[in-house]
Amino acid sequence: MREMVKMIVVITLLAAFSGGLLAVVRDATAPQIESQKLKFVQGPTIQSIFAEADNLDTVLNDRFKIVDGDTETNFFIGVYDGKPSAVAFEASAVGFGGPLGVMVAVNLDTDEMIGVGVTTSAETPGIGSRAKDEPELAAQFTGLPLLQPFSVSADGGDIDAISGATVTSKAVVAAVTSAGKIYENLKPQILEKVGAFAG
Amino acid sequence: MAKTLAQEFTKGLWKEIPPFRLVLGLCPVLGVTTTVENGVGMGLATTFVLVCANLLVSMLRNVIPPKVRIACFIVVIATFVTLVELVMQAYAYPLFLKLGLFIPLIVVNCIVLGRAEAFAYKNGITSSLADGLGIGIGFTMSLAALGAVREVLGTGCFTIPFGAKLTLLTADWYTPFTFMVQAPGAFIGLGLMLCLMNLVPSK
């Protein structure tokens, strides 16, 4: 009996101590982790698609969040000709090697895409990873209206897939399509937040 | 027979060097050693966990009841692994992007659990520290060596850990043997290195 109590007490204390320690560390590192993620995961993509924006240097800070159900999406504001007229946000789909994230920048006035870039992917190096490393696939979206479903040419759409990386190409297309849905659902809120940013 | 502290430390560097001598913890060995840098990063993370877990298990060895010792070891190890994961995300994010999936797997790396069970639970604090440090450095060296072989043969480049990337074998005469940076190349590289080590006569 005494042994039993001792086992329970030791494990409970150990687990409580570990849990407490991790909670403290997690809280302490959370802001740093978020800024690192922005800098290394989304940052390079955003800066390449907003290359001509006026606020290129501060674009990572010009952001707001919209919570929709369980998901929280970060929106980055692009300023063109002194006016905040574009937002970029991330959407994802399942690729060949896991989740694939796509950053989509859209012009708020015309609903046309300014640029698309792959942010995170676990695709096969040298095959699916070309969707991220080479611009051919993503560049096809530039200038197209976002509010429509996209598909690859093999499925009757307009987007030419990367040969040898069909699954990855379809994932990029699916992610852009889901970005369109997010944009459609949240547009009133986006406009409101961007308006607040301008004012 | 009591060993000296120096012996506890140096046994991890050759006589019981993981993964070659113990052939334990092969998952990260095979998975991350595509470059030297990844190998060293993984090795250092494992060393940290190993030293801290050894230290704590050895400190608590009289308190932990034998029947639940494995559960306690896992709690201790998992705590340190999560710490490493958080700190790496906060301060070495590019490395975390490369090692990502493998960091949580340090929890189930049998070297760490093996040292806690076979050594730290039965020995004092200082010798457990020496043991953890020795095995950890041995593990880091093994990963770096395997990473170097695979990276040089597989890509023709050599990345100085956390530094510059050098091109050793230039493209004009060397076609990168990409097989070496894929998973089967890891097995073959590991096997050949194990074979070479066994050719060296042991006392």
Side-chain angles (χ1 to χ4, degrees), chain B residues 43-179:
Chain B
L44 292 180
T46 310
T47 305
F48 172 80
V49 173
L50 201 50
V51 169
C52 295
N54 261 11
L55 178 69
L56 205 63
V57 166
S58 149
M59 275 164 64
L60 297 175
R61 71 184 188 282
N62 296 323
V63 185
I64 297 175
K67 279 183 188 159
V68 289
R69 64 182 194 285
I70 301 288
C72 293
F73 297 163
I74 290 290
V75 171
V76 168
I77 296 167
T79 308
F80 287 116
V81 170
T82 317
L83 265 183
V84 169
E85 193 183 2
L86 287 171
V87 170
M88 196 182 266
Q89 277 192 64
Y91 300 102
Y93 204 81
L95 187 64
F96 176 78
L97 283 180
K98 289 184 209 148
L99 298 180
L101 179 66
F102 291 95
I103 296 293
L105 286 180
I106 299 176
V107 178
V108 289
N109 187 325
C110 22
I111 295 172
V112 185
L113 186 61
R115 292 330 287 177
E117 162 77 9
F119 196 91
Y121 196 55
K122 298 171 186 147
N123 288 280
I125 294 175
T126 41
S127 39
S128 296
L129 264 184
D131 174 80
L133 207 56
I135 297 273
I137 292 174
F139 187 64
T140 310
M141 290 187 338
S142 312
L143 288 183
L146 186 58
V149 170
R150 292 181 66 195
E151 187 180 5
V152 170
L153 291 179
T155 63
C157 299
F158 181 85
T159 319
I160 300 169
F162 318 113
K165 185 173 183 164
L166 309 175
T167 305
L168 290 185
L169 307 170
T170 48
D172 10 312
W173 63 275
Y174 183 76
T175 312
F177 185 33
T178 44
F179 174 73

Side-chain angles (χ1 to χ4, degrees), chain A residues 80 85-87 105-114 183 187:
Chain A
Y80 287 87
S85 56
V87 290
V106 59
N107 185 321
L108 290 169
D109 300 326
T110 60
D111 295 343
E112 281 170 2
M113 280 181 274
I114 295 172
Y183 182 67
K187 192 164 183 199

Side-chain angles (χ1 to χ4, degrees), chain A residues 93 102 137 141 149-152 159 168-178:
Chain A
V102 170
L137 179 67
F141 293 99
F150 293 94
S151 56
V152 292
I159 305 297
T168 306
S169 307
K170 283 184 179 172
V172 172
V173 168
V176 175
T177 307
S178 86

